[in-house]
Amino acid sequence: MIQKKWIRRTAFVALLALPVLTAGCGLFSQQTSKSIDPPQQQVEQTDGIEGENEPTGQAPAEGVTASTLTVYLQDGNGYLAPVTVPAALTAKESAPQKALEIMVDSGAYASLLPEDFRALIPQGTQVLSYEYDQEHKIAKINLSESFTNYPEQDERAIVEAITWTLTAMSGIEGVELQVEGERLEAMPVAGFPIQGELTRTIGINIEQADGVSVASSYPVTLYFSSETLHEEEYYVPVTRLIERSDSTAHAALEQLIAGPLDKKKLTSVILPDVEVTNIEEKDGVLVVDLQDDSYVTGLPIPSEMLQAVVLSLTESTEASQVQIRINGETNLVDDSNNSYSQPVGRPHHVNALKS
């Protein structure tokens, strides 16, 4: 199979990776083989908003310094993807406001972005103010009038990019948008309804599985891969509407194994001969049993696929950690000699940029 380069991952050494198989056409696709972030056996974030230490955020929203931020940008295929960029914060700067400033088209931070990714907030937009409603966990963003000047076809992507960027930060569960101090109930060009606070329930890169009725469907968010102009691999989240299932986790993993619907632009990181034999939740941990006849005990396993598994499962369910078992075995080691015998959480940062 073709070997592809992966974007250099962020220097945060406590980030997650999970085990996958390298031998034959086994458990996961070998199209990517380089190690990414090392495993995180337990995540504890003590900085940031008081009372918040969830492992799913990209950076604390208040009061600490940071060296990188993850923002959602549009790639050359029209998909939104998280991209981690260098962005030094002082103790007085707000991570949410800085992230939004990075996302302004042709803005002050345009040089930080990769050449084949596009910032979607309209050119000239200023972040006039940012407030955090701690009681309701809402980020209130006040933008200048220039925010209303964008092509109609960009509207939903703009909403998704802002929402997913801010709700990736610890403590933020929703976003309120204002223009010149007036709260938006709908987007100004095509009228996308906001109706209160925007949350991740709006999905991202929405697609509909074949033969599925929207009225009877429910969403799962899956992480596939794509490739930059320089053949560097990166993750792309896709919210797929599927038939309702008794187990969201099982359904999400089956869809991940089935692969992307847009096979010309997205690539699966799991081969289709893998079987999900069991998934159960124990104290907030999803225990996943996979069967793969090609797996050879003791062989190192590429880490990049299991990042997609953990991202997909923790995004689609309320679980914060995942424990993987392959053919009943838990004593797994990845291709960087990291052990994955314990449950792991999702990474704080995804798709760190190559300078």
Side-chain angles (χ1 to χ4, degrees):
M1 296 183 181
I2 298 174
Q3 295 288 332
K4 294 183 180 179
K5 298 178 182 178
W6 278 79
I7 289 178
R8 177 180 57 82
R9 295 303 187 258
T10 181
F12 283 67
V13 296
L15 304 188
L16 151 120
L18 285 172
V20 274
L21 178 69
T22 58
C25 286
L27 192 58
F28 307 119
S29 169
Q30 297 176 64
Q31 291 180 343
T32 58
S33 61
K34 291 188 177 180
S35 174
I36 45 182
D37 300 325
Q40 172 179 286
Q41 302 299 342
Q42 183 175 358
V43 180
E44 183 176 355
Q45 183 175 328
T46 57
D47 295 321
I49 298 171
E50 183 178 357
E52 298 297 334
N53 56 3
E54 295 90 344
T56 58
Q58 62 163 354
E62 300 281 359
V64 300
T65 59
S67 58
T68 61
L69 288 172
T70 299
V71 297
Y72 280 73
L73 306 173
Q74 190 175 64
D75 69 10
N77 295 317
Y79 287 103
L80 291 175
V83 177
T84 298
V85 298
L89 288 177
T90 68
K92 295 181 179 180
E93 287 186 303
S94 157
Q97 181 163 342
K98 187 69 167 281
L100 292 174
E101 291 170 351
I102 292 170
M103 295 167 65
V104 174
D105 182 28
S106 302
Y109 301 98
S111 62
L112 298 179
L113 310 184
E115 61 180 317
D116 45 349
F117 283 77
R118 175 184 169 219
L120 284 173
I121 295 178
Q123 186 174 354
T125 300
Q126 295 180 331
V127 183
L128 301 178
S129 65
Y130 162 77
E131 297 180 9
Y132 177 68
D133 182 341
Q134 184 169 350
E135 180 181 358
H136 300 99
K137 300 182 179 180
I138 300 297
K140 297 183 178 182
I141 308 300
N142 184 21
L143 303 171
S144 66
E145 184 68 25
S146 295
F147 179 70
T148 64
N149 299 321
Y150 56 83
E152 180 176 341
Q153 64 267 24
D154 285 349
E155 185 165 275
R156 183 179 181 103
I158 291 171
V159 172
E160 291 177 5
I162 292 173
T163 302
W164 281 66
T165 295
L166 297 185
T167 56
M169 297 184 183
S170 178
I172 297 178
E173 296 181 359
V175 178
E176 177 185 305
L177 293 180
Q178 304 170 10
V179 173
E180 301 289 346
E182 182 176 347
R183 177 172 171 171
L184 293 180
E185 296 297 331
M187 287 292 284
V189 176
F192 181 90
I194 296 177
Q195 298 174 341
E197 292 79 31
L198 293 163
T199 69
R200 288 198 171 204
T201 58
I202 65 171
I204 188 168
N205 298 320
I206 303 293
E207 64 180 23
Q208 187 174 343
D210 294 339
V212 174
S213 167
V214 174
S216 61
S217 67
Y218 77 103
V220 291
T221 297
L222 315 170
Y223 281 74
F224 300 114
S225 67
S226 189
E227 189 177 79
T228 70
L229 294 174
H230 301 292
E231 298 185 334
E232 295 167 326
E233 201 86 9
Y234 60 94
Y235 289 115
V236 175
V238 173
T239 298
R240 182 176 298 173
L241 302 179
I242 64 173
E243 294 288 354
R244 295 185 180 277
S245 170
D246 292 336
S247 171
T248 299
H250 195 283
L253 193 49
E254 291 285 2
Q255 292 292 322
L256 189 65
I257 293 171
L261 300 183
D262 186 355
K263 297 185 185 302
K264 292 183 178 180
K265 299 176 181 177
L266 299 176
T267 303
S268 178
V269 291
I270 312 179
L271 293 178
D273 54 353
V274 179
E275 295 183 8
V276 184
T277 57
N278 189 55
I279 297 181
E280 58 181 329
E281 184 175 350
K282 297 180 178 179
D283 300 324
V285 176
L286 278 179
V287 181
V288 178
D289 286 285
L290 301 175
Q291 179 69 33
D292 182 72
D293 294 337
S294 299
Y295 174 67
V296 178
T297 300
L299 284 182
I301 304 170
S303 59
E304 38 286 353
M305 170 271 165
L306 283 181
Q307 278 225 11
V309 170
V310 170
L311 286 166
S312 299
L313 290 179
T314 55
E315 197 75 72
S316 298
T317 72
E318 296 182 357
S320 60
Q321 292 187 312
V322 177
Q323 168 80 68
I324 302 292
R325 297 192 293 220
I326 302 174
N327 300 346
E329 297 184 29
T330 59
N331 189 24
L332 305 174
V333 177
D334 76 356
D335 50 13
S336 296
N337 202 34
N338 295 307
S339 173
Y340 301 95
S341 59
Q342 299 297 319
V344 293
R346 61 189 285 120
H348 290 280
H349 298 275
V350 180
N351 299 334
L353 292 182
K354 201 171 186 179
S355 58

